[in-house]
């Protein structure tokens, strides 16, 4: 556990009494996802960890939005990267809520920490600049399917920037958990953020959690929306859960005396 304690000293973001509860995209099953309204609702419920995404408009504004295009979630159309901020700002998520600038979200609550997925290469540098200018490097963790993006953020922002393990690192960790002689190689990551299942097969079990902890990595699982599933994962020792249903996760943690 010495290695785990060292990582925690390196990543103030992870210091928390009890499991980390993340409102995934602000809690997208209970409010329009990735909108200021959804984040505000989660914070009002007591959430201190919010998960969101970062994309870049054609004129360089970082926005909180998951999809590459507006079409699925809003009354607008077009790719974020091809639209100006004015064009994106005119769209409404579910027809009612505006797409927020990420700066607006990050600056809204002094006590809240954010898990951010940079969804494209172009947003990495502007995102790093935004986090640095807001003086909140220790309140942000970066996670992505593209490890080069989080690695670049780590190089720009320094050792205090919390990062999750990339897909190759997760694969190595899973093999290590199965007893194969494969070093996990965290490469500066402080946590592993993974789905509970891949192609219908459970990824996270006690062996995976033990292997992660041996490597000094917290385990955060997404996107968990069923109360019984939340209990099972907490029982095997995961350190955090991301949910689209923040009211359900709060009830589960309250029942366990861990809210």
């Amino acid at each position: 556990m010495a290695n785990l304690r060292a990582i925690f000293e390196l990543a103030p973001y992870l210091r928390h009494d009890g499991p980390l509860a993340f409102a995934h995209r602000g809690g997208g099953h209970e409010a329009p996802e990735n909108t200021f309204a959804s984040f505000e609702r989660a914070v009002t419920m007591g959430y201190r960890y919010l998960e969101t995404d970062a994309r870049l408009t054609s004129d360089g504004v970082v926005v909180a939005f998951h999809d590459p295009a507006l079409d699925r979630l809003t009354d607008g159309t077009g790719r974020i990267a091809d639209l100006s901020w004015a064009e994106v700002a005119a769209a409404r998520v579910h027809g009612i809520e505006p797409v927020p600038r990420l700066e607006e979200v990050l600056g809204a609550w002094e006590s809240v920490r954010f898990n951010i997925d940079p969804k494209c290469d172009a947003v990495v540098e502007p995102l790093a600049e935004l986090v640095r200018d807001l003086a909140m490097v220790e309140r942000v963790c970066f996670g992505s399917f593209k490890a080069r993006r989080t690695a670049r953020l780590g190089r720009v922002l320094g050792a205090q920037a919390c990062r999750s393990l990339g897909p190759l690192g997760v694969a190595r960790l899973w093999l290590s958990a199965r007893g194969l002689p494969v070093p996990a190689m965290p490469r500066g990551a402080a946590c592993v953020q993974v789905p509970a299942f891949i192609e219908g097969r459970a990824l996270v079990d006690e062996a995976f959690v033990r292997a992660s902890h041996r490597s000094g990595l917290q385990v955060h699982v997404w996107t968990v929306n069923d109360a019984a599933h939340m209990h099972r994962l907490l029982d095997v020792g995961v350190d955090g859960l991301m949910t689209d249903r923040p009211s359900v996760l709060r009830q589960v943690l309250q029942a366990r005396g861990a809210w």
Side-chain angles (χ1 to χ4, degrees):
M1 296 298 289
N3 189 27
L4 186 57
R5 287 193 295 271
I7 290 292
F8 288 171
E9 285 300 310
L10 183 64
Y13 177 92
L14 298 174
R15 299 174 192 168
H16 187 266
D17 184 16
L20 278 60
F22 297 85
H24 182 253
R25 304 182 198 170
H29 285 186
E30 298 179 355
E33 70 172 58
N34 272 334
T35 62
F36 196 89
S38 68
F39 298 127
E40 186 172 46
R41 178 179 183 273
V43 172
T44 299
M45 291 175 62
Y47 277 78
R48 292 300 176 263
Y49 287 83
L50 302 176
E51 191 275 345
T52 189
D53 307 282
R55 288 194 176 275
L56 194 69
T57 66
S58 64
D59 51 353
V61 176
V62 183
V63 296
F65 203 79
H66 176 271
D67 293 8
L70 294 173
D71 302 56
R72 180 180 69 91
L73 286 170
T74 81
D75 55 8
T77 61
R79 293 176 59 84
I80 299 288
D82 298 331
L83 300 173
S84 68
W85 163 239
E87 291 171 310
V88 172
R92 291 293 180 267
V93 180
H94 293 186
I96 54 175
E97 294 291 340
V99 176
R101 291 180 297 115
L102 188 59
E103 181 178 9
E104 173 191 13
V105 175
L106 297 184
W109 304 282
E110 292 184 359
S111 61
V112 172
R113 299 172 185 179
F114 294 87
N115 210 91
I116 304 175
D117 182 354
K119 301 303 290 186
C120 58
D121 292 342
V123 82
V124 170
E125 299 287 347
L127 176 58
E129 182 178 355
L130 175 59
V131 169
R132 184 171 51 214
D133 289 351
L134 291 172
M136 57 184 303
V137 174
E138 293 187 352
R139 290 171 49 206
V140 172
C141 182
F142 301 104
S144 175
F145 287 116
K146 304 293 186 181
R148 66 176 182 272
R149 295 174 189 163
T150 55
R152 177 58 181 159
L153 286 160
R155 288 193 296 271
V156 172
L157 295 174
Q160 290 302 306
C162 182
R163 295 182 284 130
S164 66
L165 199 61
L168 179 59
V170 172
R172 297 178 69 92
L173 188 61
W174 187 87
L175 293 172
S176 175
R178 306 276 77 79
L180 296 175
V182 179
M185 301 177 66
R187 296 188 183 277
C191 57
V192 54
Q193 297 178 335
V194 292
F197 300 96
I198 293 181
E199 296 182 352
R201 298 181 59 184
L203 172 63
V204 179
D205 55 16
E206 290 186 32
F208 184 84
V209 172
R210 286 196 303 268
S212 300
H213 288 174
R214 284 196 302 269
S215 296
L217 300 167
Q218 282 197 4
V219 180
H220 308 155
V221 185
W222 51 267
T223 306
V224 189
N225 298 324
D226 174 75
H229 192 190
M230 293 173 184
H231 279 294
R232 288 196 298 272
L233 289 167
L234 292 167
D235 286 344
V236 301
V238 303
D239 304 285
L241 294 174
M242 299 187 184
T243 185
D244 294 315
R245 302 178 66 192
S247 62
V248 176
L249 180 54
R250 184 175 68 168
Q251 290 170 1
V252 166
L253 291 175
Q254 286 174 333
R256 300 173 72 98
W259 177 247

